[in-house]
Amino acid sequence: MRITDVRVTPIAFRDPPLLNVAGVHEPWALRSIIEVETTEGHVGLGESYGDLETLANLGKAKPGLIGLDPFDLNGLTRVVYAAVGDNPDPGQTFAPAGDKARASALAAFEVAFLDLQGKLTGRPLYDILGGKLRDRVPYSAYLFYKFARHKDDPGYPADDWGEGLSHEQMVEQARRMVTEFGFSSIKLKAGVFEPDFEIETLRHLRKAFPDHPLRIDPNGGWSVETTRRVMPQLEGLLEYLEDPARTLAEMGQVATFAPMPLATNMVTIAFGHIPETIRLNAVQVVLSDHHYWGGLRATQNLAHLGRVFGFGISMHSNSHMGISLAAMTHVGATIPNLAYACDTHYPWQVEEVIEGGKLRIENGSVAPPEGAGLGVHLDRAALARLHQQYLDCGIRVRDDAKEMRKYRPDFNPARPRF
């Protein structure tokens, strides 16, 4: 059983004008769909970013995968590291601190290899990863301040979520998320407005949802001094505070006065960051993302380190399709210390590339799709349509700041903003 073909197809899908510290989402989000095929015609699926750098790195690794056994994950690691990172030690298990490009390329292909392993053995991917510990994986409502529509007409219907700029509008956004998907925790993407305004939004959410744990994520948009000033307003309000400051050292400073756990998907994003994170006690919750930690096995290893050093585990999200959600859910089902509901942008996406349409989020959770491997299959017509959208949309690198300057020409994405 050998790999005979590898296909990487960039796609673009509709994305709402969601606000964040870097600006606003462009009308089209980019991803890449990975297919790894064997001699017998079995196909394993993966999903990754769709920017030019990621596509180039995946392209560099593709030739070396031909002829590999789909069970040879160490061989896959050697091929990817040699192609993308020129690593003098081809047996190194994980990328060093900050080497996101190499880890991302490995993750994209590793999911496809694991999907193949499941299909070849007739077992769900969570069995390939050691067996599931839970039947469903919890996810959180992910709230965004947003504009009602994109500045430039992207040529598709406006989303039906409407504007989200006031406290009352954000409560209604949360109410729809909870009603439609059953989410039992709520996260607010912040760093958009003055911290006091965003904290007032949290107070409105607390009044409307007294039993829902709340989180806020300024994406490094606050200085240490600002965080110290607003901390009394946040005490007793949050489940955790995510990335108020932008560096590991600054998060360590915040940890000295924060009464709640601090979480991150920005300052601890590689295994080489763990020692300093522990030394500073800078983070108590790490939001893993298999797309840049190095894959599903790397996610499990990160969770194990969480058990060793006492930090909690959740999962980070970006705009994604069902292949990524299936992968997140399979690995989430295997992690014993998944202490917090995971992030997902999935409710914001209206298009899909898998057969049967979107996966179902019910009672705020997702069950691993049934069937061998990931349990999902490509919708070829949808793949072709989304690839054509990629060819037509003109976006090749995500740039939220450029998009925001269409609304506010003087916008500056430098952090800290406040």
Side-chain angles (χ1 to χ4, degrees):
M1 184 70 66
R2 299 291 169 179
I3 304 300
T4 57
D5 192 20
V6 178
R7 297 181 291 275
V8 178
T9 306
I11 64 171
F13 53 91
R14 289 177 271 174
D15 210 21
L18 306 178
L19 294 160
N20 58 76
V21 72
V24 62
H25 285 207
E26 295 166 293
W28 302 96
L30 306 180
R31 297 294 272 185
S32 55
I33 303 301
I34 294 91
E35 300 174 76
V36 177
E37 189 169 353
T38 69
T39 47
E40 283 75 14
H42 299 285
V43 177
L45 301 179
E47 178 187 332
S48 189
Y49 311 112
D51 60 280
L52 291 177
E53 180 184 9
T54 296
L55 294 174
N57 288 334
L58 296 177
K60 291 176 186 176
K62 278 173 53 177
L65 305 185
I66 304 302
L68 281 182
D69 186 316
F71 287 86
D72 187 6
L73 297 180
N74 286 330
L76 168 64
T77 303
R78 289 191 297 270
V79 167
V80 171
Y81 280 18
V84 177
D86 192 26
N87 184 359
D89 175 11
Q92 184 175 333
T93 307
F94 299 114
D99 193 352
K100 185 176 178 180
R102 184 166 53 185
S104 296
L106 175 59
F109 291 122
E110 188 222 48
V111 171
F113 272 52
L114 291 169
D115 185 33
L116 266 179
Q117 290 178 21
K119 288 173 177 174
L120 293 171
T121 58
R123 305 186 73 93
L125 198 149
Y126 58 74
D127 275 354
I128 303 299
L129 294 173
K132 66 177 178 179
L133 299 173
R134 57 184 61 83
D135 292 328
R136 304 186 65 88
V137 174
Y139 288 87
S140 176
Y142 205 164
L143 308 187
F144 284 81
Y145 296 108
K146 68 181 293 291
F147 297 133
R149 58 186 58 84
H150 289 287
K151 184 69 171 178
D152 298 329
D153 183 2
Y156 58 71
D159 74 81
D160 62 356
W161 288 86
E163 184 180 80
L165 298 177
S166 71
H167 309 310
E168 294 76 15
Q169 288 171 331
M170 297 305 289
V171 168
E172 288 310 305
Q173 186 184 114
R175 200 178 308 281
R176 175 173 170 180
M177 286 273 186
V178 170
T179 300
E180 290 190 14
F181 303 102
F183 293 119
S184 57
S185 60
I186 297 171
K187 173 174 173 174
L188 174 64
K189 178 66 77 176
V192 177
F193 300 111
E194 290 283 347
D196 298 275
F197 180 90
E198 295 177 340
I199 293 169
E200 185 60 30
T201 296
L202 286 175
R203 292 196 186 99
H204 277 70
L205 291 168
R206 168 55 64 236
K207 182 177 180 180
F209 304 94
D211 299 322
H212 283 61
L214 300 179
R215 314 163 182 179
I216 188 170
D217 175 18
N219 273 138
W222 299 350
S223 68
V224 173
E225 292 72 22
T226 294
T227 308
R228 188 189 301 274
R229 178 183 67 80
V230 301
M231 191 61 71
Q233 301 180 62
L234 295 171
E235 187 169 0
L237 191 59
L238 297 179
E239 179 182 33
Y240 63 63
L241 172 59
E242 181 180 344
D243 286 315
R246 64 188 180 89
T247 70
L248 185 55
E250 289 173 330
M251 288 288 282
Q253 294 178 52
V254 173
T256 63
F257 59 80
M260 76 289 289
L262 300 181
T264 189
N265 76 283
M266 292 177 59
V267 302
T268 305
I269 60 170
F271 288 93
H273 297 154
I274 297 291
E276 186 69 358
T277 299
I278 300 305
R279 188 184 73 81
L280 295 174
N281 189 34
V283 172
Q284 292 75 52
V285 183
V286 175
L287 277 67
S288 177
D289 188 323
H290 74 269
H291 300 94
Y292 60 73
W293 273 92
L296 304 185
R297 296 178 304 148
T299 298
Q300 289 183 311
N301 279 294
L302 174 65
H304 178 69
L305 290 177
R307 298 175 74 185
V308 173
F309 292 106
F311 56 82
I313 295 292
S314 185
M315 278 194 253
H316 166 257
S317 166
N318 211 315
S319 301
H320 62 84
M321 296 274 94
I323 296 171
S324 282
L325 183 61
M328 292 171 65
T329 303
H330 275 280
V331 72
T334 72
I335 293 174
N337 54 329
L338 189 71
Y340 301 89
C342 304
D343 293 351
T344 181
H345 287 62
Y346 205 57
W348 293 109
Q349 266 64 74
V350 297
E351 297 180 282
E352 187 49 276
V353 75
I354 58 174
E355 290 181 354
K358 296 187 67 177
L359 300 177
R360 297 181 66 179
I361 302 175
E362 298 177 303
N363 298 318
S365 63
V366 179
E370 295 182 2
L374 287 169
V376 299
H377 303 276
L378 274 181
D379 180 329
R380 293 286 171 186
L383 179 66
R385 183 177 68 254
L386 270 58
H387 177 58
Q388 188 62 50
Q389 290 177 177
Y390 172 83
L391 297 175
D392 295 340
C393 74
I395 299 172
R396 295 296 179 265
V397 178
R398 177 177 169 175
D399 193 338
D400 288 12
K402 179 182 177 182
E403 187 69 18
M404 178 62 94
R405 292 190 186 104
K406 296 177 181 179
Y407 304 83
R408 301 172 187 168
D410 62 346
F411 177 74
N412 182 358
R415 282 173 273 186
R417 291 190 65 196
F418 305 103

